[in-house]
Amino acid sequence: MDYNKQEDPASLKNLQPIVLLKPKLDKGKSVLKALQSRKTIREINNKKLPLQVLSNLLWAACGVNRKKGPFGIYGRTAATASNSQEIDLYVALQEGIYFYDAFHHRLIPIVAGDLRALAIGHGQKNFGDKAPIRIIYIADVNKLSNTSGYQEPGLHDPEIQKSYYYVDTGLIAGNVYLFAASHGLASWFHNCDKPALTAKLKLHSDQKVLFGQSVGYPVKK
Amino acid sequence: MDYNKQEDPASLKNLQPIVLLKPKLDKGKSVLKALQSRKTIREINNKKLPLQVLSNLLWAACGVNRKKGPFGIYGRTAATASNSQEIDLYVALQEGIYFYDAFHHRLIPIVAGDLRALAIGHGQKNFGDKAPIRIIYIADVNKLSNTSGYQEPGLHDPEIQKSYYYVDTGLIAGNVYLFAASHGLASWFHNCDKPALTAKLKLHSDQKVLFGQSVGYPVKK
């Protein structure tokens, strides 16, 4: 994460960091009840999520859940290969795209403007999805190569790296699905416009845009 | 799944299918509380899981949770690309390796004998893990190519197929982690001996052995 990026005033306008609220853990269904109702829901209305729900959602996805995780650094709600924490979440809201800084549990603005259409694949836009939030999964392969702890085999091999960062994306996306199911939200996991996002977010060559996931309230039928 | 495989008496000995119990959904932590305690635990003792817990675990992983899922077939607790349901779970127990038949919620024996050591990677065997159950994730790429419903882009492209089946593995593995966290079980996701498992399970060329995941009771410290 190159924090200098956010200093570009033209792309940021007046966007400020969003300080997320401490997750409230006292609500929602049990794991098994949530699994019973887990399903992909593509019809999402445009109603915004309250800040507490957004905060809980991102913490559930891959927030910090303990100070002492494997290999001397903090742990997250979702496992990663050798605790490399190589998957970054970028979050497309109406106001702009933000980087989820899990350690400080806040959203750092990266680029202003409603770019949610880029966080969904070509040909996937006709499902009535007007989701207020689209998560963008971006792997930083540098973090896999430079993990300090016990090394899973092949952390420097680009082919094996793929297997890790895609699985690790699924682990986070599964948390999002279950959080949505436990809180009456709709969610679906989908493709995204990788070249456009790579350009807009000014990613470096070790950052790979992988997938998107929309979350919001289901359209009432 | 080639059911003829199980007819080989030499490899099966007297192993019978294990009829799993209907999942009991009335226990365990909430999703958010489970996320709070989610972590990788590698020190697992050899105590077997009761049949009800094993049944709940496999249902939580990727069991059938509704008769009508996307594209006219049943739905599962874990999403898959275009509902292709391309990830098969094989389960290594002390008695042998079984195929998890999610539709009938039962375990079908594939090969007899304690082969749990194959379901863990070389160099990963020194963590005090004597897990009674090791899940083996195997992708059947045929199922991605032949999905009848809406087609995600690239379902016939081997490179893109990879991205789907690894993510879909993570979605299942995340369910396993959360089930474990909600029920006081230990779990960790790891590599496995792909060539040995491919041979032992007599897989066809479209089946790719991907990863393993151990589950059991944590070693008390």
Side-chain angles (χ1 to χ4, degrees), chain A residues 36-95:
Chain A
Q36 191 179 32
S37 56
R38 209 275 337 146
K39 62 177 178 174
T40 293
I41 300 176
R42 296 182 180 83
E43 297 82 9
I44 300 177
N45 73 35
N46 61 1
K47 186 181 165 190
K48 290 195 178 188
L49 300 185
L51 183 60
Q52 184 68 61
V53 177
L54 177 64
S55 304
N56 282 10
L57 166 69
L58 292 171
W59 178 83
C62 61
V64 173
N65 69 352
R66 59 205 190 279
K67 284 185 183 165
K68 286 181 97 170
F71 317 124
I73 60 167
Y74 57 95
R76 312 272 290 256
T77 58
T80 53
S82 294
N83 199 19
S84 59
Q85 309 191 7
E86 86 283 23
I87 305 295
D88 289 321
L89 263 49
Y90 287 69
V91 180
L93 305 177
Q94 190 177 22
E95 298 78 10

Side-chain angles (χ1 to χ4, degrees), chain A residues 38-40, chain B residues 64-70 73-77:
Chain A
R38 209 275 337 146
K39 62 177 178 174
T40 293
Chain B
V64 173
N65 70 351
R66 60 205 190 278
K67 285 186 183 164
K68 285 180 97 169
I73 60 167
Y74 56 96
R76 313 272 288 255
T77 58

Side-chain angles (χ1 to χ4, degrees), chain A residues 25 29 31 35-36 38-39 65-66 76-77 79 124 150 152 159 162-164 166 170-171 174 191, chain B residues 25 29 31 35-36 38-39 65-66 76-77 79 124 150 152 159 162-164 166 170-171 174 191:
Chain A
L25 306 183
K29 292 178 187 170
V31 169
L35 285 164
Q36 191 179 32
R38 209 275 337 146
K39 62 177 178 174
N65 69 352
R66 59 205 190 279
R76 312 272 290 256
T77 58
Q124 298 194 301
Y150 164 78
E152 297 277 346
E159 266 311 298
K162 252 184 225 174
S163 72
Y164 291 134
Y166 282 123
L171 290 166
N191 278 274
Chain B
L25 307 183
K29 292 179 188 169
V31 169
L35 286 163
Q36 191 179 33
R38 208 278 334 148
K39 63 177 177 176
N65 70 351
R66 60 205 190 278
R76 313 272 288 255
T77 58
Q124 298 194 303
Y150 164 79
E152 297 278 346
E159 266 310 299
K162 253 184 223 174
S163 71
Y164 292 133
Y166 282 123
L171 290 166
N191 277 275

